[in-house]
Amino acid sequence: MVPHLITALTGPINELEQRILDSMPAIERWFRLEWMEHTPPFYTSVDIRNAGFKLAPVDTNLFPGGWNHLTNEMLPLAVQAAMAAIEKICPEARNLLIIPESRCNNTFYLSNVLQLQRIFNMAGLNVRVGSISPEIKKSTVVTLPHGETVTLEPVIRTKGRLGLKHFDPCTILLNNDLSAGAPGILEDLHQQYLLPPLHAGWTVRRKSRHFQSYEEVSKRLGKLLGIDPWLINPLFSRCESVDFDDDASMEVLRSAVDAQLTKVRRKYKEYGINEKPFVIVKADNATQGMGVITVRDAKDLDGLNRKARHKLAGIKDGQTVHDLIIQEGVLTRERVHEAVAEPVVYMMDRYVVGGFYRMHAERGVDENLNAPGASFVPLAFKHSTQMPQPGARPGASAPNRFYMYGVVARLAMLAASYELEATDPEAEVYD
C-alpha cells in the first residue's frame, strides 16, 4: 500500500527527500556516532505528518502499543532488533516478563501484547505476561478477536525481584505508560532489568521536554544537510498551570496560542505557503490522543464549550491537566482510500522495524487522527527501510519516502534518548 500524496511533484518536501538521499552516507555515519554516545530507548513509535512542504514528528511514544499492526513480513526485522537489544542489556537472558496496561478487557490492545510475546519468543526467550491489575488474581486466558489467546498471570513481588509463580525473569518489559503513576510494585527492582525505565513513563515525562531535545537534534541534522531545521521540526511552546475555569488563566493561554500562530505565519510567508496556520493544544503529559484540540485562531478559545474544556482538562486514567504544550500544527497531505492518513514508524533499539498508516475517514487534514474511529494499513515495507533507491525521482519511490520517514523517526528516537538521560534520577550530576 503506497498512499497518495496530495501535493505538487516539486516543492520543499521533494527537495528534502533528494537532500536526504544524497546525504545518506553522512546521515548514517552521524547516527552511528550518536549511538556510540547515547543509548536508544528500548522501543519507540513516532507519529509523522507530511504536509508536502514540511515533514515532522508530532508525537513520540516510548511504550508503543500497536505491534499487532506490523505485518508478518516485518517480523524478521523486529526479531533481529529484539535480539540485538537484549544482547546488549542481558546477553544470558532466558526469561522475559511483559507487564502490560491494566486494560484486561481490551482485546485489541492485548493483540499487541501477544505480538510482542511472539517477537521475543522468536528472539530466543521464554516470555510470559504478568499483570499488575488487581482484577487478575489467578492465571486468566483471554480470547482475542482472531481466535488467538493470551494468558495473563498475577505478578508476584519478592524482595528486590518481580516474577510469576515458577517464573523468575532477568528482564521485565513494560508496555504500560504509567499514566496513573509508577506503582510501588515496580520500584526498586535493582536485581532485574526494567525496560523502559520508570522515568520514561508519563509520571515524569513531558512532551515539551521531548520536543526541546528534538529541536536540538533537528538543528544539528539540519546543519549537516544544509536545510532549515523548520522543515523537519514543529515549533512549540509550553503553557503552565492552566485553569480552564479561570478567565485570567485562559487569557494567558490565548496569548501563548496567538504568539505561536504568529511564528507559524511568519514561516509560511517565508516559504510562500498558502495554507491557514493552526496549532495543536494538548496536555503536556497526555497519551493515546487524549487531551488534544486543534486551534486555528486564538479567538477559538473564547468559544470553548464545557465538553471541549473537559476534553483538554482530563486525560487517561482520570489524570487532571494543568500544563499544556502548544505545538505548530502540521497538515497531513496523505490519503489512503480517500481518508486522511499519517505514517507511524516503529523502532526497536536503534533500528526501524516497520510501521503502518493511521487513517481516519471522519477527520480533517489539520486534526488529530489518534482518535476513536481510526483504522490502520501496514506501510509497504517490502524492501527494508534502510534500502532506498538512489536515482529514483523524488516522490516517486515508496522506499525513498519511507527511508525519509525513517530518518525523521530515528531523529525523534535520538531526541528521546537525550530526554531520558536528562530525567534519569540515577544519572551523575556534575557542577
Side-chain angles (χ1 to χ4, degrees):
M1 172 63 66
V2 181
H4 182 42
L5 181 63
I6 313 291
T7 186
L9 291 177
T10 60
I13 206 67
N14 287 333
E15 293 171 16
L16 175 63
E17 180 181 310
Q18 190 64 59
R19 188 69 61 93
I20 285 175
L21 290 171
D22 292 344
S23 306
M24 184 173 59
I27 291 171
E28 295 304 326
R29 179 179 182 273
W30 185 77
F31 274 121
R32 188 166 64 248
L33 294 176
E34 286 293 326
W35 296 131
M36 290 174 67
E37 299 291 331
H38 306 281
T39 302
F42 188 79
Y43 53 7
T44 316
S45 70
V46 179
D47 298 356
I48 296 174
R49 305 273 285 214
N50 186 346
F53 55 84
K54 79 177 290 179
L55 177 78
V58 293
D59 203 17
T60 301
N61 190 348
L62 300 185
F63 299 88
W67 291 93
N68 50 309
H69 298 306
L70 270 60
T71 64
N72 289 334
E73 290 78 11
M74 299 174 192
L75 285 186
L77 282 174
V79 170
Q80 289 174 2
M83 287 178 172
I86 291 294
E87 192 174 305
K88 283 196 304 187
I89 295 159
C90 183
E92 68 279 8
R94 177 181 292 125
N95 296 334
L96 176 78
L97 178 64
I98 298 176
I99 304 286
E101 299 272 359
S102 296
R103 296 174 284 165
C104 313
N105 298 324
N106 188 328
T107 56
F108 292 100
Y109 167 73
L110 291 176
S111 296
N112 145 79
V113 175
L114 181 64
Q115 182 81 307
L116 278 172
Q117 191 172 11
R118 187 181 293 126
I119 288 168
F120 285 97
N121 189 247
M122 288 190 284
L125 295 165
N126 300 314
V127 186
R128 284 161 70 174
V129 183
S131 177
I132 57 175
S133 169
E135 297 176 24
I136 303 298
K137 296 181 172 62
K138 61 180 182 178
S139 182
T140 304
V141 178
V142 181
T143 302
L144 305 180
H146 297 293
E148 299 170 306
T149 61
V150 63
T151 302
L152 304 177
E153 301 178 70
V155 162
I156 299 170
R157 177 70 186 251
T158 54
K159 296 183 180 178
R161 298 185 73 84
L162 207 61
L164 306 175
K165 189 176 181 180
H166 306 309
F167 187 76
D168 183 27
C170 78
T171 306
I172 298 163
L173 178 64
L174 269 184
N175 196 243
N176 181 324
D177 62 23
L178 308 177
S179 292
I185 197 170
L186 297 178
E187 295 178 343
D188 301 317
L189 295 174
H190 301 303
Q191 299 176 21
Q192 293 165 301
Y193 297 97
L194 183 65
L195 306 168
L198 290 180
H199 65 279
W202 288 115
T203 314
V204 174
R205 195 168 180 238
R206 296 294 178 267
K207 291 177 184 288
S208 55
R209 186 183 286 121
H210 172 74
F211 281 101
Q212 184 178 1
S213 297
Y214 183 82
E215 183 176 20
E216 178 186 341
V217 295
S218 66
K219 284 179 179 177
R220 291 173 51 212
L221 184 65
K223 185 176 181 181
L224 178 72
L225 298 177
I227 63 166
D228 179 353
W230 177 76
L231 294 172
I232 55 173
N233 178 40
L235 303 173
F236 78 96
S237 60
R238 188 170 189 251
C239 196
E240 300 178 340
S241 305
V242 176
D243 181 345
F244 296 97
D245 295 319
D246 179 70
D247 290 341
S249 184
M250 289 301 291
E251 182 57 40
V252 171
L253 177 59
R254 275 190 289 272
S255 296
V257 166
D258 193 48
Q260 192 73 312
L261 284 168
T262 299
K263 290 179 183 178
V264 179
R265 285 190 199 101
R266 197 175 296 134
K267 295 302 291 189
Y268 278 23
K269 185 177 181 181
E270 178 184 340
Y271 282 91
I273 296 165
N274 295 316
E275 299 283 357
K276 184 175 177 60
F278 66 101
V279 296
I280 300 295
V281 179
K282 52 189 174 182
D284 204 14
N285 63 331
T287 182
Q288 296 179 344
M290 301 179 76
V292 180
I293 62 169
T294 298
V295 181
R296 301 168 186 86
D297 190 300
K299 294 178 183 176
D300 295 347
L301 294 171
D302 297 336
L304 276 187
N305 57 28
R306 183 181 296 273
K307 183 179 178 181
R309 291 188 185 215
H310 179 74
K311 181 180 178 182
L312 260 181
I315 55 170
K316 185 182 169 190
D317 292 330
Q319 300 301 296
T320 303
V321 173
H322 295 293
D323 296 338
L324 301 172
I325 178 173
I326 303 166
Q327 189 178 65
E328 173 192 351
V330 182
L331 297 166
T332 175
R333 287 302 186 191
E334 297 191 274
R335 298 285 186 281
V336 177
H337 306 314
E338 300 308 311
V340 293
E342 63 187 8
V344 184
V345 178
Y346 271 58
M347 293 162 287
M348 192 172 292
D349 195 57
R350 59 193 178 98
Y351 305 103
V352 174
V353 299
F356 52 84
Y357 270 93
R358 179 188 290 119
M359 46 193 265
H360 205 302
E362 298 175 9
R363 292 287 172 118
V365 297
D366 60 355
E367 293 182 293
N368 170 42
L369 304 186
N370 189 6
S375 54
F376 307 92
V377 174
L379 283 173
F381 282 150
K382 292 179 182 177
H383 306 284
S384 166
T385 51
Q386 306 292 341
M387 296 178 63
Q389 299 173 340
R393 191 175 82 253
S397 164
N400 285 359
R401 191 189 300 176
F402 297 148
Y403 176 75
M404 178 170 65
Y405 290 169
V407 168
V408 171
R410 284 184 289 161
L411 195 62
M413 178 171 58
L414 177 62
S417 73
Y418 280 46
E419 174 194 357
L420 290 177
E421 287 170 9
T423 57
D424 185 352
E426 297 183 5
E428 294 186 37
V429 178
Y430 299 94
D431 293 330

